[in-house]
Amino acid sequence: MAEYPYNNRTFQILDAAEKGGYAVAAFNCYNTDGILGSIKAAEKLKAPAIIEIFPWSMHFHGPEFIKFAYEACHAASVPIALHLDHCTLEPDVYKALELPFDSIMVDASSQDPEENIKFVRHIVELAKERGITIEAELGRIVGGEDGVPTVDMETLYTEPELAAEFIEGTGVHFLAPSIGNVHGPYPPGGPEKYWQLDRLEMIKKLSPSAILVLHGAFPIIDDLMKKTIELGIRKVNLNKNLHDHYLEFLGNNVGKLEMTQLQEKSIAVWMEEAERSIKLLGSDGKAA
């Protein structure tokens, strides 16, 4: 039997992506529609995937919802992991370690580098005892997202040399670098203007074994996304990319369709965008 972290679902999925040179879609989900739509899309395309929820769900939905999400992921016909995204509060991290997550993003990026390293290393040690892998952010990816504070400051980029030190010093399994990517809307010019691909390339060069994660991927620019995958991105977090069409459909059809039809058709809308993302990242067919 494989030993940690090779027996961890998220690590298995992303390690395979690293070896195969593709990226895996990580779908931010807020309800059962998102979870079911993402799983159905991954199964249809025979693709590995990751379901992501925010700490908000631990508090609003409660532990039974987390168990449902975990069981739905692990019952799928393709490899799917359950990940907790942007766990910024220390009590939430400890709470998450007692719940059935495959992986947790410990977001202490707003702290100074030494405190970030110290805290992440501590959590990595605790997580190992529970078979959970850890993602962390280095630098500061600005902007606002559910449960993620908006930072009114210029982007703090990840320094490649510090990234190598951070990975070694913490033992973190996955790293989300700041290369100009933004949570939420971009300023004029969009990702094409702000993403520093040369910085991403240097991070991977100095940390060749690192499994890298991309946050702030909206709007998706196909050519730009493919370039980041060439440079080492193996997990792409998807949020607004999926929710815009889904929410538009709900807004136009609430009160017009029966509840069963509304749910089925809204999940189909979610699946369309999820499938497009999976194909773009090159993970379709990888779980065949």
Side-chain angles (χ1 to χ4, degrees), residues 45-48 278-287:
L45 296 182
K46 299 187 181 333
I278 288 169
K279 291 175 182 177
L280 174 63
L281 301 185
S283 56
D284 52 315
K286 296 299 189 294

Side-chain angles (χ1 to χ4, degrees), residues 163-239:
E165 294 176 9
F166 182 83
I167 293 168
E168 182 177 356
T170 62
V172 73
H173 304 97
F174 322 113
L175 181 71
S178 175
I179 59 168
N181 39 329
V182 173
H183 289 302
Y186 277 84
E192 301 100 318
K193 178 178 179 180
Y194 292 99
W195 287 11
Q196 296 185 0
L197 297 184
D198 56 340
R199 184 178 296 273
L200 175 61
E201 184 175 20
M202 185 57 66
I203 290 169
K204 187 62 175 176
K205 181 177 180 180
L206 296 184
S207 303
S209 62
I211 296 178
L212 301 179
V213 177
L214 181 66
H215 290 230
F218 181 82
I220 287 183
I221 311 298
D222 289 9
D223 291 343
L224 192 59
M225 183 64 67
K226 290 176 181 177
K227 185 62 177 177
T228 68
I229 295 170
E230 291 175 10
L231 295 175
I233 290 295
R234 298 295 170 242
K235 170 176 172 274
V236 178
N237 287 15
L238 302 166
N239 192 333

Side-chain angles (χ1 to χ4, degrees), residues 117-131:
I117 289 175
K118 181 179 178 182
F119 181 63
V120 172
R121 181 172 62 243
H122 173 60
I123 298 303
V124 167
E125 292 170 355
L126 293 178
K128 181 178 180 180
E129 299 172 4
R130 295 160 174 81

Side-chain angles (χ1 to χ4, degrees), residues 95-154:
K95 181 181 181 69
L97 287 171
E98 302 303 324
L99 292 170
F101 288 104
D102 293 296
S103 51
I104 299 169
M105 183 196 176
V106 179
D107 187 354
S109 59
S110 61
Q111 307 299 321
D112 65 65
E114 289 185 4
E115 286 300 315
N116 191 0
I117 289 175
K118 181 179 178 182
F119 181 63
V120 172
R121 181 172 62 243
H122 173 60
I123 298 303
V124 167
E125 292 170 355
L126 293 178
K128 181 178 180 180
E129 299 172 4
R130 295 160 174 81
I132 298 171
T133 49
I134 299 297
E135 175 185 330
E137 184 175 308
L138 185 64
R140 186 62 182 158
I141 301 172
V142 302
E145 199 171 29
D146 294 82
V148 183
T150 299
V151 181
D152 294 322
M153 58 189 292
E154 293 185 1

